[in-house]
Amino acid sequence: MEKRTIPVVGMMCAGCSAAVERRLNALEGVVQATVNLPGRSALVEYDPSHISLQQMKDEIQRAGYDLIIEEDRSAEEIEHRSFVLLRRKVLLSWLFALLVMTISMGWLPQLFNSSTSQSLPSATPSSSMSNQAMLIIALLNLVYCGRQFFVNAWRQLMHFSANMDTLVALSTAISFLFSVFNTFWGERFWGSRGLASHTWYDASVMIITFVLTGRLLEERAKNSTASAIRSLMGLAPKTARLVDGDTMNEVPISTLQPDDLIEVRAGEKIPVDGEVTAEQHPLVDESAMTGEAALAEKHVGDRVLAGTICRQGTFRFKARQVGQQTVLANMIRMVQQAQGSKAPVQRIVDRIALVFVPCVLGLSLLTFVLWLLIGGQQQLPRAALSAVSVLVIACPCAMGLATPTALMVGIGKAAEQSILVKDATALERLRHINAMVIDKTGTLTTTTNHPSPNSHHPSPTSQTTEHLTPHAREAIVDLQAMGIEVHLMSGDNTENVSRWADAAGIAHWQAKALPQDKDDLVRQLQSEGKHVAMVGDGINDSQALATADVSIAMGRGTDVAMDVAQVTLMSADLRRIVDAIRLSHRTVGMIRQNLFWAFIYNIVCIPLAAGLPCLFGIDFQITPVWASALMAFSSVSVVLNSLRLKWSR
């Protein structure tokens, strides 16, 4: 099986992401696929012997979207071009909107004869010349600025599906066609029935203008949610200084191979993971990877990591892990996959979003029919106006963005603090933790080798000392203050375990513990109704890590422990666990806020758009123009609210 994060192009709302996810999961050979709307990506686990990436791409293209699988196509470049085109359309659409509003409000009396008869909100009395001018402007706006809505809506229709584009296309088409009818035949049709003829060209233009403006603001805000990934990607340099005998050449890092000899000078970033080959004692800043500010002095045989910075000295090292095998590449991959994963609450929202658009279409039709039943043919203009307003205002964008944007920011925030969260479920579960099992050696304590005299290397005569990890006691105190019961488990002897438990302030401890004993304790605590986290770094911890509700590994531990763990701490500072738990509380709280406002928005606004107050003698209704503005604002506000996580301490 392979797991890969694939950029997706063309998604605009929760309905889009749900449609792409459904199609991917329906393909034979795809084990599981989750689609991230703000991240514009799909995390796909699949069997390459049954299905290829090209087959997935072909299926998604038939649905009106696209997967970026080609190496020569950059998702960032495509998104940048799309953003520039979107910005151009927004500016042009605002120009069209200004022209239409100028004409419809009678601000150009010297050119057009505007009527002053009473009209419904957002409706303009017919005037031959002004209406024909607005028809041309609105048509230009539909063809250039709004074309994509109609293309996407048609593709969705061909697959018996619907999304936000369907709602926008229907509402603008109804507004425009109703206005065209009234421009040429309105006086004859409505006049014979004693009614005024009105046009809604301003509504058809403003709907597109506000929706495009909302998307532009969303894109800008969503780019900020992905800043953690861009920061990690920016850590690696583009080139490296390759040593070849007596010569040195500047080469792209993509050409480096294991065992290549590389030189790094003061102020330069280390390009790949490797091993120091000469005793030159450089000082390396590893804060970007470990979160620890102190410079690390490197000796022969010491490991150096891609993305860290040589602050003092010049040294040479042999490449060990290159390309996608470096620790930095693995961090980027883990954060991408975590941001693309889904919390349990998001799956509920996705199911709602999948049926939401058809429900909105039904509500709009019901609104139209009810107004005709209440007022007869005389209420036809209001019936159409109300139906269009419902179509526009009930877009599920805010609901679809509520959870993934908060998760993206939360997981990115964790990465900035050197906390790698493997999936969204782990981030959500952390806030429930009320019991924690901690391994001793390599987790609560660190070991230091003291070399024999006249040597910088450990030797058979070297002594090993076990300096408690920095801030360990402070972290334990904070965890206990949060109501978390801490247990220390170690295979060490009773005297040592007791001493270190006292030093850290841990009341519950067990010595001479085997891997099975750690697993048994986790299960025992779970049977007592506790939510248990396991913190370890070795192979002997992997069994308990797999059993725990949340598994936490130390970044300098074994590969087995880190593979099993849902959360990896890149530094030895146990306070990062406290940070992760607090971040979990804040992220889930932000998700609840977003969902609350997204649902409240629809619950309050749909009846107002349908004209419910008018039935009780209150002359108030949300018109299509205001509906489009409110819909755009709701989506942007959800993203901006999520970004508060990024700016918080």
Side-chain angles (χ1 to χ4, degrees), residues 55 93 328 341 540 570 606 620 628:
Q55 288 173 307
S93 190
L328 176 60
S341 63
N540 60 329
M570 296 306 294
I606 289 177
F620 176 81
S628 57

Side-chain angles (χ1 to χ4, degrees), residues 440-599:
K440 181 177 73 70
T441 308
T443 303
L444 186 69
T445 65
T446 58
T447 56
T448 304
N449 288 316
H450 297 286
S452 56
N454 305 317
S455 172
H456 288 290
H457 306 289
S459 70
T461 60
S462 297
Q463 295 182 346
T464 300
T465 301
E466 188 174 10
H467 314 354
L468 208 58
T469 54
H471 310 293
R473 185 178 180 88
E474 182 183 343
I476 298 301
V477 170
D478 287 344
L479 289 169
Q480 292 170 340
M482 298 169 83
I484 298 174
E485 184 181 289
V486 181
H487 295 256
L488 177 62
M489 294 283 285
S490 175
D492 205 349
N493 61 61
T494 303
E495 181 183 355
N496 282 341
V497 177
S498 174
R499 176 162 56 91
W500 290 117
D502 289 340
I506 300 175
H508 308 280
W509 56 270
Q510 182 179 335
K512 299 180 180 179
L514 298 174
Q516 185 61 50
D517 296 326
K518 297 179 181 180
D519 184 67
D520 290 341
L521 176 59
V522 171
R523 293 181 185 275
Q524 177 191 328
L525 292 171
Q526 288 174 329
S527 69
E528 296 171 3
K530 291 184 170 64
H531 297 275
V532 186
M534 173 68 197
V535 187
D537 74 320
I539 295 175
N540 60 329
D541 300 316
S542 58
Q543 186 176 348
L545 286 168
T547 303
D549 296 288
V550 177
S551 47
I552 303 172
M554 310 305 290
R556 295 180 177 177
T558 63
D559 291 339
V560 173
M562 287 188 284
D563 284 344
V564 173
Q566 296 166 301
V567 179
T568 301
L569 307 182
M570 296 306 294
S571 75
D573 191 344
L574 292 179
R575 291 179 302 175
R576 294 287 180 255
I577 299 176
V578 180
D579 293 339
I581 294 172
R582 287 173 177 161
L583 185 62
S584 172
H585 280 280
R586 292 190 62 114
T587 303
V588 173
M590 193 66 69
I591 290 172
R592 288 176 172 173
Q593 288 178 28
N594 288 346
L595 287 174
F596 172 80
W597 289 113
F599 280 107

Side-chain angles (χ1 to χ4, degrees), residues 382-447:
R382 186 179 290 276
L385 176 81
S386 301
V388 169
S389 297
V390 170
L391 281 176
V392 176
I393 208 163
C395 173
C397 273
M399 186 171 59
L401 291 168
T403 300
T405 50
L407 286 173
M408 281 191 70
V409 176
I411 291 168
K413 182 80 171 177
E416 291 174 1
Q417 303 299 318
S418 302
I419 305 166
L420 299 185
V421 182
K422 187 173 288 186
D423 56 48
T425 302
L427 187 63
E428 187 176 4
R429 284 180 179 173
L430 271 168
R431 69 191 181 95
H432 294 299
I433 295 301
N434 53 17
M436 186 171 292
V437 179
I438 297 181
D439 176 51
K440 181 177 73 70
T441 308
T443 303
L444 186 69
T445 65
T446 58
T447 56

Side-chain angles (χ1 to χ4, degrees), residues 349-403:
V349 174
D350 284 347
R351 286 196 290 271
I352 295 173
L354 200 60
V355 298
F356 199 80
V357 173
C359 288
V360 170
L361 294 173
L363 278 174
S364 177
L365 181 60
L366 179 63
T367 299
F368 182 81
V369 171
L370 286 177
W371 270 113
L372 290 183
L373 291 176
I374 292 169
Q377 196 177 54
Q378 286 193 340
Q379 289 295 342
L380 181 59
R382 186 179 290 276
L385 176 81
S386 301
V388 169
S389 297
V390 170
L391 281 176
V392 176
I393 208 163
C395 173
C397 273
M399 186 171 59
L401 291 168
T403 300

Side-chain angles (χ1 to χ4, degrees), residues 8-329:
V8 184
V9 174
M11 296 189 301
M12 293 299 174
C13 68
C16 297
S17 59
V20 173
E21 184 171 294
R22 187 174 70 252
R23 288 188 172 277
L24 285 173
N25 281 310
L27 295 174
E28 184 179 356
V30 173
V31 178
Q32 185 179 25
T34 56
V35 177
N36 184 343
L37 174 60
R40 291 159 292 199
S41 63
L43 177 59
V44 185
E45 185 177 1
Y46 66 101
D47 185 351
S49 64
H50 283 79
I51 189 169
S52 67
L53 291 175
Q54 186 60 49
Q55 288 173 307
M56 295 183 210
K57 179 183 177 74
D58 293 341
E59 176 65 22
I60 297 305
Q61 282 182 329
R62 280 192 287 270
Y65 309 97
D66 195 12
L67 299 182
I68 308 301
I69 62 172
E70 302 86 355
E71 293 185 2
D72 59 341
R73 293 182 72 195
S74 166
E76 290 77 16
E77 184 180 343
I78 292 172
E79 288 168 4
H80 177 70
R81 286 202 302 266
S82 299
F83 182 82
V84 171
L85 179 60
L86 177 59
R87 185 171 57 192
R88 187 183 306 143
K89 287 182 177 180
V90 167
L91 292 174
L92 189 58
S93 190
W94 272 108
L95 176 61
F96 289 143
L98 181 61
L99 288 173
V100 167
M101 294 302 293
T102 299
I103 298 170
S104 67
M105 298 299 290
W107 293 342
L108 296 178
Q110 67 276 24
L111 296 179
F112 304 105
N113 254 333
S114 295
S115 173
T116 59
S117 61
Q118 294 298 314
S119 65
L120 285 173
S122 189
T124 306
S126 294
S127 173
S128 181
M129 290 185 65
S130 61
N131 280 338
Q132 290 177 29
M134 287 190 292
L135 186 157
I136 295 171
I137 296 170
L139 183 61
L140 289 173
N141 190 60
L142 287 174
V143 171
Y144 181 73
C145 301
R147 177 177 177 273
Q148 199 60 39
F149 294 118
F150 294 92
V151 172
N152 291 340
W154 177 255
R155 287 174 177 168
Q156 294 298 316
L157 181 63
M158 291 297 97
H159 291 86
F160 304 101
S161 184
N163 62 6
M164 174 187 170
D165 291 330
T166 307
L167 300 181
V168 176
L170 272 176
S171 58
T172 52
I174 292 171
S175 301
F176 181 77
L177 293 176
F178 188 85
S179 300
V180 170
F181 176 84
N182 283 352
T183 297
F184 297 104
W185 302 284
E187 291 295 337
R188 189 188 322 158
F189 182 84
W190 299 109
S192 63
R193 291 164 174 79
L195 297 173
S197 175
H198 304 284
T199 58
W200 297 339
Y201 290 117
D202 54 346
S204 70
V205 173
M206 292 304 295
I207 289 171
I208 290 176
T209 302
F210 278 126
V211 172
L212 290 177
T213 302
R215 286 189 175 178
L216 184 69
L217 295 174
E218 277 179 41
E219 291 303 306
R220 289 179 66 91
K222 284 191 286 189
N223 285 338
S224 295
T225 66
S227 61
I229 286 289
R230 290 196 299 272
S231 297
L232 288 174
M233 289 179 170
L235 290 177
K238 303 297 182 186
T239 60
R241 191 175 294 104
L242 180 64
V243 180
D244 185 10
D246 295 331
T247 63
M248 285 187 289
N249 300 303
E250 199 85 9
V251 298
I253 62 169
S254 59
T255 63
L256 294 178
Q257 299 294 325
D259 293 328
D260 280 348
L261 187 61
I262 301 163
E263 182 176 286
V264 178
R265 298 171 184 172
E268 296 180 345
K269 292 179 179 178
I270 296 170
V272 294
D273 295 356
E275 184 179 302
V276 178
T277 58
E279 200 66 71
Q280 294 163 315
H281 311 298
L283 295 179
V284 177
D285 179 357
E286 297 182 322
S287 59
M289 304 295 289
T290 66
E292 297 174 3
L295 298 180
E297 184 176 354
K298 298 296 181 179
H299 304 280
V300 173
D302 284 350
R303 187 185 188 189
V304 290
L305 300 176
T308 58
I309 303 172
C310 177
R311 292 297 185 190
Q312 183 177 313
T314 297
F315 73 100
R316 293 181 178 183
F317 71 96
K318 271 197 173 182
R320 293 304 184 211
Q321 285 81 35
V322 300
Q324 294 301 307
Q325 304 305 313
T326 65
V327 171
L328 176 60

